[in-house]
Amino acid sequence: LKAFQACLEHLHGHAERVPFRRWKAMAKPAEDEKLPEELPLALVTAVVVDAAVDGMLIGLSYAASPSAGWAMAIATCIEMGFLGLSFTASLQNATRTAWKIITVACIPPLVLLLSGLGGNSLGYMFSESPGTFVAFISFAIVALLFLVTQELLTEAQSVANGSAVINALFFVGLLCGILLEAYIG
């Protein structure tokens, strides 16, 4: 993975002529600054796909076990809350048109709800076919594990810089998730 990341950074350096940064903070544009008035379609698509996958995970989890579904729903609410804040901030940096911001910001929660209902329906529909049900649950687990290992853990490690407190808080969060599952279940 380190060799792949080094290759990716090298290619990015040639393409963009700037060092690769995963997160780049942007200041809020001034009131008199002209904005492009074009929505970042790649970002909108990524957030909508994330919401669809999260909704399907919640629906499938609930079909497998209601307590697991509740735990996934609570965890996803926290995650989507932070994602929604950064998403709407990005939209505000692209346009000043309020109806565009409100309309586009409402799409991911709607997709989350609809895909959750769809995932739950699929889970109950395929619960009589164990092979297909296990395939759907396996996809859900792999998607979640990929997100955690590829994105969250690597980002937390780079932010932590070896801080014992941040590393300990990661395990406290994991413990809270396990306790929440035990409390609900």
Side-chain angles (χ1 to χ4, degrees):
L1 285 177
K2 288 181 182 181
F4 177 74
Q5 181 162 353
C7 179
L8 179 66
E9 290 174 358
H10 177 75
L11 291 172
H12 182 48
H14 284 291
E16 300 294 326
R17 301 287 181 219
V18 294
F20 178 74
R21 289 195 52 192
R22 182 168 279 205
W23 303 107
K24 182 180 176 187
M26 292 178 56
K28 186 175 180 181
E31 291 296 323
D32 58 343
E33 184 179 336
K34 183 164 174 44
L35 296 178
E37 296 298 325
E38 292 180 15
L39 295 173
L41 293 180
L43 176 66
V44 173
T45 303
V47 171
V48 168
V49 168
D50 178 54
V53 172
D54 286 350
M56 191 180 82
L57 291 174
I58 292 170
L60 286 171
S61 297
Y62 194 83
S65 165
S67 63
W70 277 106
M72 281 296 298
I74 291 168
T76 303
C77 281
I78 295 168
E79 180 252 337
M80 289 301 281
F82 287 110
L83 179 62
L85 287 173
S86 60
F87 181 58
T88 54
S90 296
L91 292 177
Q92 287 176 338
N93 284 339
T95 183
R96 293 202 199 286
T97 310
W99 69 268
K100 277 185 185 178
I101 295 170
I102 292 169
T103 303
V104 174
C106 288
I107 293 172
L110 215 83
V111 168
L112 179 77
L113 176 68
L114 294 175
S115 64
L117 293 172
N120 188 279
S121 297
L122 280 174
Y124 283 123
M125 185 170 54
F126 290 126
S127 64
E128 295 175 9
S129 172
T132 309
F133 186 68
V134 168
F136 274 102
I137 295 294
S138 298
F139 168 76
I141 291 170
V142 167
L144 190 60
L145 287 175
F146 175 78
L147 171 71
V148 169
T149 56
Q150 181 63 26
E151 294 296 325
L152 299 178
L153 288 179
T154 55
E155 185 67 23
Q157 192 65 13
S158 68
V159 170
N161 291 330
S163 169
V165 173
I166 293 178
N167 288 332
L169 287 175
F170 174 76
F171 290 105
V172 167
L174 184 62
L175 176 65
C176 288
I178 292 169
L179 293 175
L180 176 67
E181 173 69 27
Y183 178 73
I184 292 175

